[in-house]
Amino acid sequence: MDSGRFAESQKTGGASNADHAVQGTSNDAAVSRESAARLGYIEDPFIGYFVRPPQRRAPLINRGTFCRFHGVQNAMCQFAQALNATSSAPSLPDAAGPGQIVVLGAGFDTSYFILEREGLGVGRFFEIDFAEITAKKAATIYRHQPLKSLLPKDTKVALGGSELHSSRYSLISGDLREFRSQIVPKLVENGFDCSQPTLFLSECVLIYLDPQYSDEIIDWVTEAVANAAILTYEQIRPDDRFGQMMIENLRARQLELRGLHAHPTLESTSHRFLTRGWHASTAIDLADYHDRCIDDAERARLASLEFLDEWEEFTLLAQHYAFTFAHSKDAEPFSMLNPLQ
Amino acid sequence: MGVDIDSCIERLYLGQILEEREVEQVCRALRLLLAEEANVVAISAPVTVIGDVHGQFYDLLEIFSIGGRCPDTNYLFLGDYVDRGHHSVETISLLACLKLRYPQRIHLLRGNHESRNITKTYGFYAECIHKYKGSAQTWHEFTEVFDYLALAVTIDDSIFCVHGGLSPSIQHVDQLRVVDRFEEIPHEGALADILWSDPDAEIRGFGRSQRGAGYTFGGDVVERFLHINGMSHILRAHQLCMEGYLVQFNDRLSTVWSAPNYCYRCGNVASLLKVDPYLQRDFITFEAAP
């Protein structure tokens, strides 16, 4: 989407077709998550509330969703546990303790609820997405007691239902392409503390942005946040036949992976942080993650859920997705974490 | 037989599925025919060998367009007709009718997807339900037929053809001839192995398969099998090949893959294999039908 069309959509006040298509990916992700949860690959008792109607995904997709969920939850849990270990102050309910998590393009992600349920809530949890998505999310949360009861007691609905504000959880609406002008002020208003160790998450989000926009977000994090880490889960390897077909198939659904050619390899996804002076960055594709970071017992458990027949296809698919984990300073708690091992 | 088989074939070439009662009649007749076929069928070259098709009906039509229609061309299909693609019903219906109409001109082996359990997970069952308005009858009929499909073919006593690969339980082809094949594919044993196993250039002997059924087997196993059985080559399918085919173990084993752009996502090329009367093997690659 070039800036001309973007300016036009701003004027008309509505999202363009491309924006709608990107928003649709939240649904896709939620459906995949629900399929994996329902079949027992992952434990997510909350995703079902966000998915109507449920659909069963193919076994290789369920396995991929398992790996994706495993990596993201691993990072968040390690972060939360490291904070608990280093924190000396007793935590009071609804008082913001240490640590922050910011989920970019959160969609219908349920990580906040999963962490809260495990008693692994961090100091502040921020979710950001288009207003169309956050409004639906807020409404769904409020409709279901198991979700609503996990919100802090001081939660208030804001902006006509498209945002939720509280001392420890904020659902923020906005356009990531307007990060500094639109999102940052809202983060600050909602208590974002630049001095707190903060984990940023982007699951197939930054990749949909033109590099100029995703670079701006990373630049801001680099400048403003004292001790930051980021976990991205995104597509890589556009240049082989599978990558080309992936791009074509997405394009047929009006989805452009605008950031893909800027960072097409494992090296380049890490490079984008290292060139900004971040302390360390590692990247691993999902196929390697599946082979190295999931233990045999767990893989045997997965095999008992569904017969995965198409290994070649799974490997092909999984090689085109990667986790990148980077942290900006040589400091705890991030220097202690190794979520991609 | 009460059904007009030529009319069925004509309609199927146009992509029109049969009526439920026609499927019942075709399947009933086909089971009677296949019951007379041995586990291991002996055929002669020339023959065109086709790997996994997986419900990619329009690519099947492309295969017939490139290779010639049956019965003008002799065909051997190595299994996996259904699941994953969107037109498993059309695919298996056409192949079943062609087999009924020209039993000596087309041979259909059983693949690991010709199974009740697998088709419930990988799409064929759902497609039958959808295309036959909620009725599972056609799925029942076809999966009954699957129990009757032959397990292997030998081409001029020289080329051994199966869907998956070799089994530690089968050193000699005669051992495969006496297996009771008329059942759902079991989780283990010779029948499972033949349909699920994969070659592995990195090992010797048999190894554990990641798939959860069958084994992996090395080049030494291939050599031993060919030597004991006096054969020259193994043809199989079962594994996606980006280039459409893969020749391994010093040209002693080939994998044929006939579903281009598999699952409409993999971007791979497919192939068909022409075996001429001198047993020369020639792969013809092709891309997905537009």
Side-chain angles (χ1 to χ4, degrees), chain A residues 17 24 27 47 56 59 75 107-108 127 161 218 232 302 316-317 333:
Chain A
N17 281 338
N27 271 333
I47 190 66
R56 183 178 182 149
F108 301 112
E127 297 195 303
I218 298 171
T232 66
L302 299 180
L316 205 50
L317 188 58

Side-chain angles (χ1 to χ4, degrees), chain A residues 177-245:
Chain A
R177 290 165 298 197
E178 299 288 296
F179 195 77
R180 280 185 202 261
S181 56
Q182 220 185 72
I183 308 292
V184 172
K186 290 194 184 193
L187 283 173
V188 169
E189 265 165 42
N190 278 277
F192 183 84
D193 181 352
C194 290
S195 69
Q196 285 289 325
T198 306
L199 174 64
F200 290 84
L201 242 40
S202 159
E203 282 186 73
C204 296
V205 171
L206 296 181
I207 194 93
Y208 286 107
L209 298 175
D210 258 324
Q212 69 177 102
Y213 299 120
S214 53
D215 284 346
E216 267 190 48
I217 297 173
I218 298 171
D219 283 338
W220 178 82
V221 173
T222 309
E223 292 154 20
V225 181
N227 184 7
I230 186 163
L231 178 72
T232 66
Y233 170 80
E234 293 179 333
Q235 293 89 334
I236 53 167
R237 299 191 170 115
D239 295 322
D240 59 20
R241 275 208 298 270
F242 185 94
Q244 288 296 304
M245 187 58 54

